[in-house]
C-alpha cells in the first residue's frame, strides 16, 4: 500500500523534475544551494487554467482542485485580479510543511471580448478528460481511504503526470498572436495548458548562511549568470517579499495558416523566490503563509511576451 502523503511526495518530485528539465535556472539554483550544504524547499507551485467549457475536462480551477483535494490539500483563500479578468485560490497541505502550497488561477473567459472568447473556446472545445475512468476513481478512493494499492498508485501517478501538461491539440499560431494583444495569460495557457507555471524557492528554509535573505540570493544568482527580475515585490521587513528569474523561452508546437505543424518561440516559466516575514498570532511569531494580490499581479507579467 502507498499512503496519501507518499503519493503526494512522489507527484511533487515528478513535477519538480520535469520543471527543472525545462527551467534550467531552477536546476542551477538547486545545484548551487546543495553545493553549499543548504536545503531546496519550494514555497509554492502555480497553475493556470480557463474558466470555460474545456471539452471533457472540468472547467477552470475545478479540474486541478479535484487532484489537490484528493492529495489531502485544503482550499484556503480566494484572490481576485479584476483588471486581468483572473481569479485564484490558494491551497495548502494541513500537516506537511515540506509540501508546497499551490496557487491556481483561472481566466474568466466570459469577461473578454467576443473575439477572444471565440478563439479560446474554439481551441479548447475538444479537450479530452485525461482523468476519465480509472484515474478519477483512484482519486476518489485516495481522498476517502488515504491510501492505494501500490500498483494503483503507480498508475495514478502516471495519469497525473500526463494530466499536468497541455491537454488540447496544438493551437493555431494566429490564435496565439491575436489573443496576446488582449491577454498574455490566455496565450500562455493555450500553449502550455496544465503545465506547471512556476515553482518558488522558499528562502526562509534555504539554510545557506552566506545567502541570508532574498537580496543576497538574487545577487549570487546574478553572479552565476542567471537573469533575475531587477525589482523585489515587497518592502524589507514586510510579510512577503518576492522576485524571480526571467522566464525560459521554448519552441512551442502550433498550427500554421496552411494547416501544417510548426513552432512558435514563447515564454514558458520562471523560477520564483519568496521570503516570508513574521506575524504575531496569540503571542507567537509565525511566518505569514498567504499571498498578496498586488505582488502576484506583477509576477504574472514575468511570462509576458
Amino acid at each position: 500500500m502507498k499512503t496519501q502523503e507518499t503519493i503526494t511526495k512522489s507527484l511533487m518530485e515528478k513535477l519538480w523534475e520535469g520543471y527543472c528539465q525545462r527551467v534550467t535556472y531552477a536546476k542551477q539554483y538547486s545545484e548551487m544551494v546543495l553545493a553549499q550544504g543548504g536545503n531546496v524547499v519550494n514555497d509554492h507551485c502555480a497553475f493556470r487554467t480557463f474558466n470555460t467549457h474545456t471539452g471533457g475536462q472540468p472547467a477552470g480551477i475545478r479540474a486541478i482542485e479535484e487532484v489537490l483535494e484528493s492529495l489531502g490539500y485544503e482550499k484556503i483563500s480566494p484572490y481576485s485580479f479584476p483588471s486581468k479578468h483572473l481569479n485564484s485560490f490558494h491551497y495548502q497541505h494541513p500537516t506537511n510543511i515540506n509540501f508546497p502550497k499551490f496557487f491556481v488561477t483561472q481566466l474568466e473567459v466570459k469577461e473578454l471580448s467576443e473575439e477572444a472568447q471565440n478563439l479560446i473556446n474554439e481551441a479548447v472545445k475538444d479537450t479530452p478528460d485525461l482523468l476519465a475512468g480509472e484515474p478519477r476513481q483512484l482519486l476518489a478512493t485516495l481522498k476517502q481511504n488515504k491510501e492505494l494499492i501500490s500498483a494503483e498508485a503507480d498508475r495514478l501517478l502516471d495519469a497525473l503526470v500526463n494530466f499536468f501538461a497541455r491537454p488540447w491539440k496544438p493551437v493555431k499560431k494566429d490564435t496565439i498572436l491575436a489573443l496576446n494583444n488582449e491577454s498574455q495569460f490566455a496565450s500562455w495557457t493555450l500553449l502550455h495548458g496544465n503545465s506547471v507555471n512556476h515553482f518558488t524557492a522558499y528562502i526562509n528554509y534555504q539554510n545557506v548562511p552566506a545567502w541570508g535573505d532574498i537580496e543576497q540570493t538574487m545577487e549570487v544568482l546574478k553572479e552565476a549568470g542567471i537573469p533575475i527580475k531587477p525589482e523585489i515585490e515587497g518592502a524589507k521587513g514586510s510579510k512577503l517579499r518576492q522576485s524571480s528569474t526571467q522566464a525560459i523561452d521554448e519552441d512551442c508546437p502550433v498550427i500554421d495558416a496552411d494547416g501544417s505543424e510548426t513552432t512558435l518561440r514563447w515564454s514558458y516559466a520562471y523560477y520564483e523566490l519568496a521570503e516570508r516575514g513574521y506575524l504575531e498570532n496569540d503571542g507567537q511569531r509565525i511566518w505569514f503563509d498567504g499571498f498578496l494580490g498586488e505582488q502576484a499581479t506583477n509576477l504574472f507579467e514575468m511570462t509576458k511576451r
Side-chain angles (χ1 to χ4, degrees), residues 192-211:
H192 302 294
N194 301 331
S195 298
V196 170
N197 173 253
H198 67 268
F199 272 99
T200 307
Y202 202 161
I203 301 299
N204 303 64
Y205 283 100
Q206 196 168 252
N207 197 31
V208 178
W211 312 356

Side-chain angles (χ1 to χ4, degrees), residues 37 45-46 54 65 67 75 83 85 89-90 103 131 175 197 213 221-222 229 252 260:
C45 175
T54 315
E65 178 178 271
V67 175
K75 197 173 192 175
S83 67
H85 311 292
F89 269 98
H90 151 210
F103 196 81
L131 298 179
T175 294
N197 173 253
D213 56 23
L221 295 179
K222 280 192 287 187
K229 181 179 183 292
C252 304
S260 63

Side-chain angles (χ1 to χ4, degrees), residues 19-270:
Y19 170 83
C20 283
Q21 289 175 357
R22 298 172 72 179
V23 184
T24 53
Y25 305 146
K27 184 174 186 290
Q28 193 173 349
Y29 164 86
S30 177
E31 291 171 345
M32 291 169 64
V33 170
L34 294 175
Q36 294 292 320
N39 302 317
V40 177
V41 177
N42 280 302
D43 174 81
H44 67 273
C45 175
F47 293 104
R48 295 178 175 183
T49 187
F50 294 118
N51 188 19
T52 191
H53 174 73
T54 315
Q57 177 175 294
I61 288 173
R62 289 193 296 116
I64 294 168
E65 178 178 271
E66 175 185 24
V67 175
L68 296 179
E69 291 186 344
S70 295
L71 296 174
Y73 275 79
E74 296 177 351
K75 197 173 192 175
I76 304 297
S77 301
Y79 302 84
S80 182
F81 309 91
S83 67
K84 294 185 179 297
H85 311 292
L86 303 174
N87 283 299
S88 306
F89 269 98
H90 151 210
Y91 298 80
Q92 194 163 322
H93 198 277
T95 58
N96 194 324
I97 62 172
N98 291 317
F99 288 159
K101 294 174 279 292
F102 282 89
F103 196 81
V104 187
T105 303
Q106 65 185 21
L107 177 63
E108 304 299 341
V109 175
K110 289 183 178 179
E111 297 179 8
L112 302 180
S113 68
E114 185 176 353
E115 179 187 7
Q117 290 182 50
N118 290 339
L119 288 171
I120 293 169
N121 289 330
E122 176 64 26
V124 303
K125 67 179 183 179
D126 296 324
T127 303
D129 182 357
L130 298 179
L131 298 179
E134 187 191 42
R136 180 160 287 111
Q137 294 169 4
L138 293 176
L139 283 171
T141 301
L142 180 62
K143 184 176 182 179
Q144 180 175 342
N145 298 341
K146 315 300 183 191
E147 63 181 7
L148 288 174
I149 295 169
S150 294
E152 293 178 337
D154 292 342
R155 293 199 299 275
L156 176 60
L157 282 170
D158 288 342
L160 292 177
V161 170
N162 189 43
F163 170 78
F164 285 116
R166 174 176 48 79
W168 41 78
K169 296 176 181 178
V171 176
K172 293 178 182 177
K173 177 180 176 181
D174 289 346
T175 294
I176 300 298
L177 297 177
L179 279 171
N180 197 52
N181 295 324
E182 184 169 344
S183 171
Q184 63 89 12
F185 186 104
S187 293
W188 187 99
T189 306
L190 281 180
L191 287 169
H192 302 294
N194 301 331
S195 298
V196 170
N197 173 253
H198 67 268
F199 272 99
T200 307
Y202 202 161
I203 301 299
N204 303 64
Y205 283 100
Q206 196 168 252
N207 197 31
V208 178
W211 312 356
D213 56 23
I214 193 169
E215 283 94 350
Q216 291 173 335
T217 302
M218 289 170 64
E219 188 60 36
V220 170
L221 295 179
K222 280 192 287 187
E223 289 174 357
I226 297 175
I228 296 291
K229 181 179 183 292
E231 306 87 8
I232 296 175
E233 304 295 333
K236 197 170 184 66
S238 62
K239 58 187 178 182
L240 179 60
R241 308 187 72 208
Q242 297 164 278
S243 189
S244 75
T245 72
Q246 299 296 330
I248 287 280
D249 289 342
E250 290 185 341
D251 291 323
C252 304
V254 290
I255 303 302
D256 219 337
D258 63 1
S260 63
E261 187 165 313
T262 184
T263 60
L264 180 63
R265 192 74 175 169
W266 209 265
S267 59
Y268 167 51
Y270 52 87

Side-chain angles (χ1 to χ4, degrees), residues 278-287:
Y278 285 105
L279 294 176
E280 293 290 335
N281 184 25
D282 293 331
Q284 293 185 325
R285 297 178 78 209
I286 59 170
W287 281 332

